Amino acid sequence: MTLERLINLHDGWQLAEAPERVDGASLAALPREAWLPAQVPGTAHGALLAAGRIPDPFYGCNELAVRWVAERRWVWRLDFDGGEFAAQEDLVFEGLDTYCSAWLNGELLLRSDNMFVAHRVPVKERLRPGANQLLLCFEPPLAAARAVEAVHGKRALWNGDSARLHARKAQYHFGWDWGPELLVSGPWRAVRRHAWSARVAELACRSEVDVVARHATLQVAVEVAGAGAEHRCVIELQDPDGRVVATRDLPADAARTTIEVPDARLWWTRGLGEQPLYTVVARVMAGAQLMAQDQRRIGLRRLRLVQAPVEGEAGSSFHFELNGQDLFAGGANWIPDDNLLERITPARYRERVGQAAAANMNMLRIWGGGIYEHEAFYEACDELGLLVWQDFMFACGLYPANAAFQASVRAEAEAAVKRLRHHACLALWCGNNEDYMLAESVGLAGPGVPADKFEARAIYEGLLPDVCSALDPDRPYWPGSPFTPGDGARSSDATVGDRHSWEVWHQQMLPYQRYGDVQARFVSEFGMQSHPSLALLESVLPEEERFPESRTVQWHNKAGSAAGPDGHRRLSVYQADNLRATTTLAGHVYATQFVQAEAMRVAYQDFRRRWQRPGARAVGGALVWQLNDCWPVTSWALIDAAGTVKPAWHAVRRALGSVAVAVRLEAAGVRLAVMHAPPAARALLCELRVFSLDGRLLARISQPVVAPASGTVELTLALDVPAEPVVAEVRALDEQGDELARDCAWTEPFRFYRLGGARLAIDVDPDGLGLRLATDRPVKGLWLTVPAGVVLADNFVDLVPGAPRRVGMTGALPAALKVAALDHADAVVALSKAKEVG
């Protein structure tokens, strides 16, 4: 009997442009310089970039200069020693992107055309005791996809080449309105050699939780490949502290058991509780000898998707209930964090998910044009308490539903569900992104249209829910995003299901101040563009192109339509509606980021304030498009490709706080909303101050408020405010007088008023753990640029006269900081000294 051995085949690979025939003789005829070193996981683009054979695709307009790479065939070669053979020898390919043929010692092993399906191939009879050679040949992805399209026909889509609809490849690789066209290919996930005589082929665990009794029941099933009469399966449950709390010893060919867990420690989203994770371990034993092992970390929780009446309104709610507690899902959409997927390390996943958690988010949506993410992403969400809305990989297109395509999709879906179903973070499976919207736009769905006109319904309303029901029956499935249930329903219905509210930015280009007009039961997409950080933008611009209207700046904004790119025009409209013109690149970066931050403040506040009370959950969630970027680009992201948070990230963080406040100036006075996430009500004091733009205090009111349990309270304070422009600041204070939340409203539009002339002082705390910001007149949108290694607890803040505003920090600061604010010129402010800016 052989102990299980899993050997990574990641090093020692070589890459070359493939000859017309991929065989030993043809490859031997290639000159030595044709071969480049390559790593697995990897891509041809990555290997060529590392070898200096192509320029950085992200710099300037180099995307055009590297398109030839996707038009060639590439062969990967690995020579390895066979060594000692086990009872069973498999080669495991966890992901081949996309049209790939694999040979071992000249013999064809497989052909693959779905990057999301792993392959396990028995190879014991094909391995040699000494030298062995593994070859992987990848066809040009666009040409291969177009060959399939030629058989099954062109179809309507948004973004990219229509051939992508026939390719089970990450759709964003074909180009999107925030990403480049980089049609990479290669073994994008691990390649391994697996030696074994018995192995854990499948480990499944379902849980049922009695929240009141704090009791869980686990159903554990283990499938053992190679199980014989001498094999046993030992199933072990470890608590979050690593203590063994249950053990079952079962025959390996019938390893199914029930485990009761009294005093269960429940898993919660961040902000509502802790994230304890239990571990289920399955060991295959032959007597006292361990032969193989596998494990899953699970969280014990009960999650429901609630669609219930909304008090006084049409339709029904769409919100999540966790362990009996309603929760507002505040978060963001996630796209792949790079075009070269091999560069996204577990540490980078952890950093990016950590940034979402630090912004007080409790949900991320994996968008359907990317990938089923690496295990490290879901592990980070498990540990940090973020729910995951998981799309299947279909986006913005009329996909085919022929038998071969459905067979490939079924294999893909089964693989994804089996791999991810144990994660506590996984909240919902969703069939696609915007495919119902697209079908409506071309008359194949919507009121009065027969259901069979939209053939991909066979996938979204048949195949995928069947797979989920069979393999993950305890988790909700939703056919699409957006989606409205009911024959002939429109996906834009705001009273049922989820909705993408793109009337702001896209469609009518509504002012962002009107986000309250486009709310819905669950707003799963909305957003506003901005530039990335100035440092990142300049790093990809030739020096002569570093001005706002340059060709290269526009190239790094992919937003547009069939008529061509128009993101730069839309940016200009929103700036012109709100701010005075700026001519420098630095000023343009600040202006676009200002507008994005203000838009996100308004959106999250106006959506969240409709989370009222039980029975009146008018808006159950808001997921901004988007959290992150895959390259240096002007986009809707809150975090740019360098990992730098934009001002909007801070606006979202404040709006999603455990306690958040919103203030609006109205003719009748000042309207306040206090939004409260914890499950118990609490008494607060709202302190309102109103200032003139030159710093005079015009009014002050203190108003006791009872913040409801997981809900919102709204009130209007009658106030006789002069006709002059004003700033209204509200602070929510606890019983000890400590500030919990703050918001400001200004007379708008900002472009009508001069806001300069403030004297700003920045002092460092004696212990070096914070800054104190003071001003003699209102300052709007103060942004502090800090060096790497320094983290500010808050930024992009509004200041009013009075007591200094404290901002916590970590790291060492220089003697002065670069600051920017609305209507103030960029300035360098010496710490502990006042300086007039503007």
Side-chain angles (χ1 to χ4, degrees):
M1 291 185 292
T2 306
L3 276 65
E4 180 181 44
R5 288 183 291 117
L6 199 59
I7 305 166
N8 290 331
L9 300 178
H10 292 170
D11 298 324
W13 288 85
Q14 292 181 302
L15 173 78
E17 186 176 339
E20 198 165 311
R21 289 173 52 87
V22 177
D23 55 31
S26 298
L27 295 179
L30 290 175
R32 178 175 297 182
E33 60 269 20
W35 291 97
L36 304 174
Q39 292 290 316
V40 172
T43 57
H45 282 78
L48 291 164
L49 183 61
R53 299 290 180 91
I54 60 172
D56 181 355
F58 294 168
Y59 183 82
C61 301
N62 284 347
E63 174 189 345
L64 295 172
V66 302
R67 279 187 175 171
W68 65 270
V69 179
E71 298 168 358
R72 310 294 173 84
R73 299 167 72 230
W74 297 98
V75 61
W76 298 64
R77 179 175 72 182
L78 177 68
D79 295 312
F80 65 99
D81 189 274
E84 183 180 347
F85 295 161
Q88 301 286 341
E89 291 278 355
D90 296 343
L91 284 178
V92 180
F93 304 91
E94 294 192 358
L96 300 169
D97 179 11
T98 289
Y99 299 96
C100 177
S101 301
W103 289 269
L104 178 62
N105 297 327
E107 186 176 353
L108 181 67
L109 291 181
L110 63 88
R111 296 191 191 277
S112 178
D113 62 1
N114 188 324
M115 74 176 282
F116 306 120
V117 176
H119 299 274
R120 174 181 288 272
V121 184
V123 294
K124 184 177 180 180
E125 303 306 318
R126 298 166 175 169
L127 283 172
R128 298 168 181 168
N132 291 264
Q133 187 174 82
L134 179 60
L135 298 176
L136 304 175
C137 184
F138 291 87
E139 302 298 326
L142 184 57
R146 283 178 173 170
V148 181
E149 182 183 54
V151 175
H152 295 287
K154 285 182 177 288
R155 295 162 177 271
L157 81 165
W158 298 322
N159 293 300
D161 191 284
S162 60
R164 72 170 172 83
L165 301 176
H166 300 272
R168 296 314 299 148
K169 174 176 176 58
Q171 301 287 272
Y172 82 109
H173 286 166
F174 292 82
W176 221 263
D177 59 4
W178 38 258
E181 179 189 319
L182 276 181
L183 284 162
V184 298
S185 64
W188 73 290
R189 284 195 166 151
V191 176
R192 296 188 169 103
R193 178 181 173 185
H194 194 183
W196 56 280
S197 59
R199 62 180 176 86
V200 176
E202 191 170 331
L203 171 55
C205 181
R206 293 177 62 184
S207 63
E208 183 177 342
V209 177
D210 184 329
V211 174
V212 175
R214 293 296 177 98
H215 185 278
T217 302
L218 306 184
Q219 301 289 340
V220 184
V222 182
E223 179 184 333
V224 178
E230 72 278 14
H231 291 118
R232 308 284 295 174
C233 184
V234 176
I235 298 172
E236 182 179 276
L237 178 66
Q238 299 172 1
D239 72 10
D241 298 318
R243 294 187 294 260
V244 177
V245 294
T247 303
R248 302 287 188 272
D249 191 330
L250 304 166
D253 61 351
R256 288 170 172 75
T257 190
T258 299
I259 299 176
E260 304 293 338
V261 187
D263 300 319
R265 293 163 62 179
L266 301 184
W267 185 93
W268 294 90
T269 53
R270 62 168 316 283
L272 291 182
E274 297 181 344
Q275 295 78 44
L277 295 171
Y278 290 73
T279 304
V280 179
V281 183
R283 298 187 179 96
V284 181
M285 308 295 295
Q289 180 70 59
L290 174 66
M291 305 305 298
Q293 177 175 306
D294 200 1
Q295 66 183 44
R296 301 284 185 272
R297 288 203 304 171
I298 63 170
L300 303 180
R301 88 290 192 279
R302 187 180 70 190
L303 184 73
R304 291 200 308 136
L305 173 61
V306 180
Q307 298 178 80
V310 178
E311 183 180 303
E313 300 187 25
S316 57
S317 70
F318 188 105
H319 72 274
F320 292 90
E321 177 195 276
L322 178 63
N323 300 329
Q325 169 69 46
D326 284 352
L327 65 88
F328 179 85
N333 286 264
W334 171 278
I335 66 170
D337 207 51
D338 206 317
N339 281 84
L340 303 186
L341 292 166
E342 67 268 27
R343 300 199 296 206
I344 314 174
T345 63
R348 186 162 151 189
Y349 275 116
R350 181 78 183 199
E351 176 190 2
R352 208 66 74 242
V353 174
Q355 288 173 310
N360 293 318
M361 295 181 181
N362 61 13
M363 177 174 279
L364 295 174
R365 172 179 172 238
I366 305 296
W367 167 75
I371 62 172
Y372 306 97
E373 290 290 346
H374 190 279
E375 197 71 14
F377 171 86
Y378 303 94
E379 289 174 351
C381 290
D382 284 343
E383 294 166 8
L384 297 176
L386 280 83
L387 294 172
V388 172
W389 171 309
Q390 177 70 58
D391 282 4
F392 287 98
M393 294 300 115
F394 302 90
C396 300
L398 298 181
Y399 287 86
N402 58 72
F405 190 83
Q406 287 203 49
S408 182
V409 168
R410 181 175 294 277
E412 169 189 323
E414 289 176 348
V417 173
K418 287 180 180 181
R419 180 170 73 89
L420 301 177
R421 62 188 171 186
H422 66 280
H423 284 287
C425 65
L426 190 60
L428 175 140
W429 294 103
C430 178
N432 69 80
N433 171 80
E434 295 188 350
D435 289 2
Y436 285 92
M437 284 179 64
L438 180 58
E440 290 171 18
S441 75
V442 295
L444 297 182
V449 180
D452 60 1
K453 289 287 187 180
F454 181 23
E455 66 178 295
R457 284 183 189 268
I459 297 173
Y460 309 140
E461 299 174 33
L463 188 159
L464 293 176
D466 287 351
V467 168
C468 291
S469 178
L471 299 177
D472 195 17
D474 305 320
R475 211 172 317 263
Y477 172 83
W478 192 244
S481 180
F483 180 76
T484 300
D487 291 339
R490 290 191 182 277
S491 60
S492 59
D493 192 327
T495 68
V496 181
D498 74 311
R499 187 178 194 271
H500 292 184
S501 291
W502 280 113
E503 289 84 354
V504 178
W505 180 268
H506 288 305
Q507 299 172 16
Q508 303 98 302
M509 290 183 67
L510 289 181
Y512 67 74
Q513 292 85 353
R514 291 182 58 187
Y515 262 120
D517 296 345
V518 295
Q519 61 185 274
R521 295 297 179 235
F522 194 106
V523 188
S524 45
E525 280 192 23
F526 62 98
M528 175 64 65
Q529 269 204 349
S530 77
H531 290 313
S533 67
L534 179 62
L536 178 60
L537 189 56
E538 287 186 336
S539 75
V540 296
L541 298 177
E543 191 165 349
E544 65 275 11
E545 290 284 291
R546 294 178 183 176
F547 57 93
E549 301 82 10
S550 79
R551 183 189 306 273
T552 312
V553 169
Q554 183 172 322
W555 183 262
H556 284 255
N557 186 343
K558 298 296 188 178
S561 62
D566 68 353
H568 59 291
R569 183 183 68 82
R570 293 173 187 265
L571 280 176
S572 297
V573 169
Y574 280 103
Q575 288 180 79
D577 283 350
N578 293 281
L579 308 176
R580 286 196 294 279
T582 180
T583 59
T584 67
L585 186 60
H588 211 253
V589 167
Y590 176 83
T592 64
Q593 293 191 347
F594 179 100
V595 170
Q596 183 191 38
E598 284 296 296
M600 293 304 97
R601 180 182 72 88
V602 171
Y604 276 91
Q605 289 176 349
D606 279 0
F607 296 154
R608 187 180 175 189
R609 71 179 180 82
R610 296 275 284 144
W611 177 257
Q612 294 278 315
R613 59 189 175 277
R617 305 304 197 189
V619 177
L623 307 179
V624 67
W625 186 269
Q626 63 218 63
L627 180 72
N628 58 323
D629 273 329
C630 62
W631 75 309
V633 64
T634 298
S635 80
W636 300 267
L638 304 184
I639 304 169
D640 70 23
T644 303
V645 300
K646 300 180 184 180
W649 182 90
H650 287 281
V652 172
R653 178 185 55 77
R654 291 190 286 263
L656 290 179
S658 178
V659 178
V661 291
V663 58
R664 299 288 189 272
L665 294 170
E666 296 184 340
V670 176
R671 177 165 55 88
L672 302 181
V674 179
M675 297 154 283
H676 188 241
R682 72 186 299 182
L684 301 174
L685 181 68
C686 283
E687 183 183 86
L688 174 71
R689 295 186 296 167
V690 180
F691 293 88
S692 64
L693 295 188
D694 62 9
R696 289 174 288 120
L697 179 63
L698 302 177
R700 183 170 188 160
I701 297 176
S702 293
Q703 176 69 46
V705 172
V706 176
S710 186
T712 300
V713 60
E714 296 185 272
L715 62 155
T716 298
L717 301 179
L719 203 59
D720 186 14
V721 176
E724 65 180 301
V726 298
V727 181
E729 179 204 64
V730 64
R731 297 193 306 150
L733 310 175
D734 65 13
E735 294 177 345
Q736 290 72 44
D738 294 329
E739 181 181 308
L740 302 176
R742 181 192 304 226
D743 190 40
C744 284
W746 297 64
T747 303
E748 297 186 44
F750 297 108
R751 71 180 189 272
F752 285 169
Y753 309 107
R754 292 194 176 277
L755 304 180
R759 293 182 63 83
L760 176 66
I762 305 178
D763 297 328
V764 181
D765 283 348
D767 58 9
L769 298 179
L771 297 175
R772 295 185 184 275
L773 312 175
T775 183
D776 62 345
R777 62 177 60 188
V779 174
K780 177 65 186 174
L782 178 66
W783 181 252
L784 308 176
T785 300
V786 296
V790 176
V791 177
L792 298 181
D794 203 358
N795 208 340
F796 194 73
V797 296
D798 294 352
L799 296 181
V800 294
R805 180 168 183 171
R806 185 181 184 279
V807 174
M809 72 170 191
T810 59
L813 286 173
L817 287 180
K818 182 180 177 183
V819 303
L822 189 62
D823 210 23
H824 291 68
D826 286 356
V828 176
V829 176
L831 302 187
S832 301
K833 294 180 181 179
K835 179 180 176 66
E836 182 173 338
V837 290

